[in-house]
């Protein structure tokens, strides 16, 4: 498992301390199932998808996978509200968006620590 303090610092740095990531997003996400915006050809997203697979997470129950095309692409205004850098993967949680595959991977490992390897 991950040490909570470093993970929380990374999460705070990635979301809470960056007003651009919170702008236009606060209050718009009330779901409890996180949404991972990613594409099948993304090597960085593969890091997150392998965790989802190895942990045995159930799609649409534990996590939802969506293609950025569902929001008009990774440079669309809708996607840029989630991640102003226009990059993926990005995980949308009830606390806000989490960009960067390493931070998403740490979040998944921490949130689902009781599941799988």
């Amino acid at each position: 498992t991950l040490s909570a303090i470093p993970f929380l610092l990374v999460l705070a740095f990635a979301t809470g301390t960056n007003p651009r990531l919170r702008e236009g997003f606060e209050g718009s996400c009330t779901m409890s199932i996180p949404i991972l915006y990613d594409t099948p050809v993304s090597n960085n997203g593969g890091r997150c998808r392998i965790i989802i697979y190895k942990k045995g997470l159930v799609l649409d129950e534990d996590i939802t996978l969506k293609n950025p095309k569902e929001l008009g692409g990774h440079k669309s205004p809708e996607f840029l509200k989630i991640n102003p850098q226009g990059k993926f993967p990005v995980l949308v949680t009830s606390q806000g968006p989490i960009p960067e595959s390493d931070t998403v991977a740490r979040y998944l490992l921490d949130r689902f620590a009781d599941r799988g390897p």
Side-chain angles (χ1 to χ4, degrees), residues 1-68:
T1 62
L2 299 172
S3 171
I5 293 173
F7 172 72
L8 292 176
L9 290 175
V10 169
L11 184 59
F13 178 75
T15 58
T17 60
N18 187 341
R20 288 183 58 203
L21 287 177
R22 302 295 299 173
E23 183 179 306
F25 186 81
E26 294 182 54
S28 65
C29 183
T30 58
M31 83 295 190
S32 60
I33 299 173
I35 301 171
L36 180 66
Y37 286 96
D38 186 28
T39 62
V41 296
S42 168
N43 289 331
N44 291 327
R47 176 185 299 168
C48 304
R49 291 189 309 273
I50 197 73
I51 291 170
I52 292 168
Y53 173 75
K54 290 289 190 178
K55 290 272 186 189
L57 303 182
V58 179
L59 294 179
D60 297 326
E61 286 182 25
D62 297 316
I63 192 162
T64 300
L65 295 178
K66 290 189 176 184
N67 194 308

